[in-house]
Amino acid sequence: LNKNKGIVNEKAIYMHGKREGIDAEIALQWNDSYNPQEYSFANNINTHEGGTHLSGFRAALTRTINAYAARNNLTKDLKDATISGDDIREGMTAVISVKLPQPQFEGQTKTKLGNTEVKGIVETIINDKLGAFLEENPAVAKRVVSKAAEAARAREAARKARDLVRSGPSLLESST
């Protein structure tokens, strides 16, 4: 999926966990692009509209990476900006697959998972496995956090530029 792109973490981060009869597998890799690619599956059915497994993944990813960055003082140069979930997912390729006994899909197309219990289970697996991976692989963790911090700085600079343009005199007012 990341062919012909500059890779941030050479080897994909792979996580697998089983809880309450629900089996979850997640693979993550960051590249030098800006757009995230997220592929989610429930019982091998492509849930391209996402669902509870994807929202649990996103919440836990943001929380786990921010907690690691704070614990290891990796975001002290960000001043008042914070790393958002969008910043973390910038350039990320993720595959999230869950297998569960009673899948509940939303809508007729069956492309969005609705099982509420899956969210917490995926969150727990990400918190445990990704947290452990980051602690055991500080070099990779630092590259991932610095890419996210760079995205946060760019987002903050764009916001400041927008505010500056909007607060300045307009071209119509100054041509009198």
Side-chain angles (χ1 to χ4, degrees):
L1 294 172
N2 284 325
K3 222 177 205 163
N4 304 324
K5 294 179 183 156
I7 303 300
V8 174
N9 55 314
E10 274 309 307
K11 197 169 181 241
I13 301 169
Y14 173 77
M15 295 164 274
H16 177 249
K18 200 171 192 166
R19 283 212 153 91
E20 298 171 35
I22 295 172
D23 196 356
E25 287 183 277
I26 298 112
L28 296 171
Q29 190 173 41
W30 279 266
N31 60 56
D32 58 3
S33 73
Y34 300 109
N35 297 329
Q37 297 179 69
E38 296 170 315
Y39 303 95
S40 62
F41 300 87
N43 291 358
N44 295 332
I45 297 169
N46 186 349
T47 52
H48 60 259
E49 288 182 40
T52 53
H53 55 324
L54 187 59
S55 58
F57 162 75
R58 287 177 175 172
L61 178 75
T62 304
R63 191 172 45 252
T64 304
I65 288 184
N66 269 319
Y68 178 84
R71 248 191 338 273
N72 293 282
N73 239 356
L74 298 175
T75 52
K76 58 185 176 286
D77 63 329
L78 274 182
K79 296 180 192 111
D80 51 349
T82 56
I83 297 177
S84 72
D86 287 338
D87 298 330
I88 291 169
R89 290 191 304 272
E90 184 176 288
M92 178 195 73
T93 302
V95 179
I96 301 104
S97 175
V98 294
K99 292 190 173 61
L100 59 163
Q102 300 292 317
Q104 297 164 353
F105 295 102
E106 294 177 13
Q108 286 186 318
T109 55
K110 307 260 186 272
T111 54
K112 187 172 185 180
L113 186 66
N115 296 62
T116 52
E117 71 277 11
V118 174
K119 183 178 191 273
I121 291 169
V122 170
E123 282 186 36
T124 304
I125 291 168
I126 296 284
N127 284 337
D128 296 349
K129 306 281 182 173
L130 183 59
F133 177 88
L134 296 173
E135 293 296 338
E136 293 164 13
N137 299 277
V140 173
K142 193 171 184 179
R143 287 197 302 272
V144 169
V145 170
S146 67
K147 177 162 178 49
E150 190 179 298
R153 277 192 287 279
R155 179 177 45 80
E156 193 59 25
R159 186 192 62 76
K160 285 180 181 171
R162 237 184 350 266
D163 290 351
L164 194 65
V165 167
R166 287 180 180 156
S167 67
S170 75
L171 291 172
L172 294 173
E173 291 169 359
S174 61
S175 63
T176 48

